[in-house]
Amino acid sequence: MSDAEEAIRLWFPVSRCEEIVPRNVVQTELLGQEAALWRDDLGFVNAWENRCPHRGVRLSIGLNTGSELRCQYHGWWYASITGQCTYIPAHPGQKPPNVIKTKRYGCAEQYGFIWINLGDQPDAAAVPVLQLDSYTTMRSVFTQAPVDLVAQSLIEAHNFEPATSAGNYILETTGPGEKSVLLLQPMNAEQTVIHGLIPSLVRDADRLSVLRQFNGRVSEMRDAIERAAA
Amino acid sequence: MIKLYDFELSGNCYKLRLLMGILGVPFERIAIDFYPGREHKSPWFLKINPLGQLPVIDDHGFILRDAQAILVYLACAYDPSGLWYPRDDARMLGRIAMWLGCADSITATASAARLHDSLFYDFDIDKCRAGAHALFRVLDEHLWFAEQEGNDWLCSSKHPTIADIACFPYVMLSEEGGVSRLPYPAVRRWTDRVKRIPGFMVMPGIFGASPAASE
Ligand code: FES
């Protein structure tokens, strides 16, 4: 199986949970597939292909009403959880056919992140298991470089090593002491998101300065990786 | 009534309509044929603004050009709350001036890319887009940490300021210039908040937001 075929079967983090805020739609990309992520008012997170079943317009520019996503273009409504089209403004008296549905991706919340899976039979039990007691999620850093190059630089130049046997998408700091973990989201052949988990903070008062420090360090690594990729 | 020399598709004209709409200031729009007529470069308009640029306002004979300058004027003259431009707060004024400068840089990059793509301006498109991405990266990081500190707006205040209005339009229109905002999720959350300011209005290419969830 090629790397690409293999990757389709894996789960990847695509956003910090707390950034999927009510009445908002997050646009993301995984392995070249765009996804629209949105939380309904009861807290359920939807991960759909970013494509309206009507004419293919991006759902991420649509409106999250709390119970459905409304396409910006012709205003079709798609229900939370099922993705079923429930209303077509041009035919207000008719119930839309059952076959009109958004394409849904496997979606799970774990370690403070939304994970998605593009495969046909997503198995939530296959979300990677991390050896972490308690943790804080850091700001995710977008990087203009392919995932292989990002992983390779983090390992060779920045003291990270693979944290699981499942390839180089999950890395942890080398050496003794508490580990920081970086989770790589391959957006497409040119872009990667670096998500991060750091050991939980003892004192909440330090939270912001630790987040800033870690963000500064990862951003420096990102800059070095982008220079190498350019 | 205030006269606004206006072009429907200009983000810099739109930001003035937006602030006047939010403040409830009546105004009259004088449509200038920016494209394809190039009326902003015509002899009669150059008498009003020798730089040949939009927007310009005429407030009972007081003529002012430059979108950011006009925002300052409108807030000082027409916002009784003083929140959009807090005149007595030195730090806030410093921050606002800084982000108004950033709004000009966004015009020079993201808006230039849009003029290149939609109105066929002869700009170095790669440079415009790269410049826009560099600014959006800074903006996203700034807004992310602002959220962590409990602030919704650009200038670390509980209420939006003219800096938010100044930066909003050309961020929102960036995709018309080929500048994707996918890498900037904190920017998206901020633009949704701007769209929920009471009195918000749209322009072609900028849609409204769904209402916020009731508490
Ligand atoms: S493209 Fe979405 S409703 Fe028409």
Side-chain angles (χ1 to χ4, degrees), chain A residues 52 54-55 57 71 73-76:
Chain A
C52 178
H54 180 219
R55 293 269 180 84
V57 165
C71 179
Y73 226 51
H74 311 97
W76 291 23

Side-chain angles (χ1 to χ4, degrees), chain B residues 101-191:
Chain B
C102 188
D104 280 327
S105 307
I106 293 171
T107 303
T109 53
S111 162
R114 174 174 171 260
L115 289 175
H116 172 278
D117 283 15
S118 53
L119 304 185
F120 318 110
Y121 274 59
D122 182 21
F123 290 137
D124 180 342
I125 186 66
D126 293 337
K127 208 170 147 211
C128 294
R129 289 187 184 140
H133 279 294
L135 290 166
F136 289 2
R137 198 173 251 192
V138 171
L139 187 62
D140 188 76
E141 185 174 55
H142 173 77
L143 287 165
W144 193 90
F145 282 101
E147 282 179 344
Q148 295 294 319
E149 289 168 355
N151 295 318
D152 281 349
W153 309 107
L154 275 180
C155 295
S156 315
S157 53
K158 299 294 172 215
H159 189 278
T161 65
I162 58 169
D164 297 283
I165 302 295
C167 291
F168 173 78
Y170 288 121
V171 168
M172 220 44 239
L173 292 166
S174 72
E175 274 160 10
E176 294 183 3
V179 179
S180 166
R181 290 190 305 281
L182 190 152
Y184 315 109
V187 170
R188 165 66 189 255
R189 293 191 295 278
W190 166 73
T191 58

Side-chain angles (χ1 to χ4, degrees), chain A residues 51-59 70-78 85 87-89:
Chain A
R51 215 175 165 282
C52 178
H54 180 219
R55 293 269 180 84
V57 165
R58 285 193 168 109
L59 288 171
R70 294 190 192 170
C71 179
Q72 194 65 255
Y73 226 51
H74 311 97
W76 291 23
W77 300 13
Y78 300 99
C85 179
Y87 183 69
I88 297 178

Side-chain angles (χ1 to χ4, degrees), chain A residues 19 23 64 207 215 226, chain B residues 137 141 144 148 196 210:
Chain A
E19 292 186 33
R23 306 293 176 109
N64 170 354
R207 199 175 147 266
N215 180 63
E226 287 186 345
Chain B
R137 198 173 251 192
E141 185 174 55
W144 193 90
Q148 295 294 319
R196 291 187 177 120
S210 58

Side-chain angles (χ1 to χ4, degrees), chain B residues 46-59:
Chain B
L46 290 175
K47 290 205 187 88
I48 294 172
N49 180 1
L51 297 181
Q53 291 168 344
L54 291 173
V56 174
I57 60 159
D58 178 343
D59 188 1

